[in-house]
Amino acid sequence: MTRNKFIYLNNAATSWPKPEQVIEKALWALRELSSTPGRAGYSALQGEREIFETREEVARLIGAEDSSRIIFTSNATQALNLAITGFLREACHVITTSMDHNSIVRPLARAEDEIGVEVTRVQADEKGMVGVDAVTEAITPRTRLIVLTHASNVVGSIQPVEEICGALGTSDGVRPAVLVDAAQTIGVLPLNVAEKGIDLLAVPGHKSLYGLQGTGFLYIAPGVDLVPLIEGGTGGQSTLVRQPEVLPEKFEAGTPNTPGIAALGEAIRFIHSRGIDNIRNHEQKLIGMLIEGLSKIQGVVLYGPVSPDERVAVLSFNVKDLDPAEVESFLEQTRSIQLRVGLHCSPMSHRTMGTFPEGTVRVSPGIFSTEEEVLSLVEGVRELQKFRRKD
Ligand SMILES: Cc1ncc(COP(=O)(O)O)c(C=O)c1O
């Protein structure tokens, strides 16, 4: 792997670098796979096999019993849009939380405007955590869907998704369906959809799974009925005027991202070779070091849970009386550190944390981040404060 000319601490946006075997697999697919899967005979078979194998890898990873219920998408946003827009019906009720990403907030707002959906937003506490009872107590006879963000992309807080699912009991078509946005967790935290009774699970391939940008998927549990968002060619049942009902074709019209999907399968094999527990331990250690180092610097305010056990490797902070962009610029210029500042496409979370509209400085280490790199960030912030005091 090429060693970096900079320090990359923006894995919550997209992970980087990508594992060498993932890059190799994508290049191999680009070089070797000719015909589009489903759009030719023998020459399309290898691509079809790659896509099938990735579907199986994904199903095993999340505990889905039937891999045809994994729908490949371009990212988590597309998966969330399909789940929300495809599942909601006129005048139904939805429960969600105040830690949502705009890829949940905006399709819900449209559903409010266009089909009269009523949204109850459960408020998270000052650490960005949502209570189990607060969610279950919001259920009404009209509640069709509960949307939960598994871990916040602003402060990293892990929501009690498993406990909420446990409190709801198993999916029986009577209780509301549960949609989980696992954009910051799959690959770092284990989650079994069948055991927990999760009905819809939206995941990007390009964050903690270490696949390419332009990949993601939605899991749809048996019995959950969605309306497709796009219709078109599926490579089969071409005599039908209407979109085929068979899965996954019902939701996968158009040419798939075969190199990206093949590489996603390789990315999941990479995750297994590292071990999810080892990845989590590594990231928790780095987050622990960041919390310890930054909390000792005068004027630094940290947000979210204090314990690394309650969060994924996403940490937000601010330096008193400084705009987050000024902190970013100092760290970039003095130490070539790449991170993200602002609202992180989640203004709702910032309103919850009291950091709206300026946002925060967000640090998100990944598998390839090192102790030296996170210590360099802490040192950079210390230097910044020293520098300011001299002014
Ligand atoms: C919690 C959360 N949900 C959804 C998304 C959207 O993911 P994607 O960029 O793959 O569309 C993100 C991306 O930052 C996220 O962090």
Side-chain angles (χ1 to χ4, degrees), residues 52-72:
F52 175 76
E53 278 169 15
T54 300
R55 238 187 268 283
E56 291 278 301
E57 286 288 3
V58 169
R60 277 193 291 274
L61 178 72
I62 62 166
E65 278 152 20
D66 174 2
S67 71
S68 72
R69 310 200 70 88
I70 308 294
I71 309 303
F72 288 119

Side-chain angles (χ1 to χ4, degrees), residues 12-13 74-78 80 99-101 103-104 149 151-153 181-184 203-207 215 340 344-345 362:
S74 310
N75 44 45
T77 300
Q78 203 184 27
L80 287 162
M99 297 306 287
D100 291 343
H101 191 272
S103 51
I104 295 171
T149 297
S152 158
N153 68 312
D181 172 356
Q184 297 296 340
V203 180
H206 63 100
K207 296 185 197 266
T215 58
R340 186 170 173 199
H344 316 102
C345 301
R362 184 182 74 179

Side-chain angles (χ1 to χ4, degrees), residues 310-331:
E310 291 180 315
R311 55 159 81 230
V312 291
V314 177
L315 180 76
S316 261
F317 71 93
N318 269 328
V319 177
K320 255 190 198 141
D321 304 323
L322 270 192
D323 190 278
E326 294 177 272
V327 181
E328 177 190 36
S329 161
F330 181 84
L331 294 171

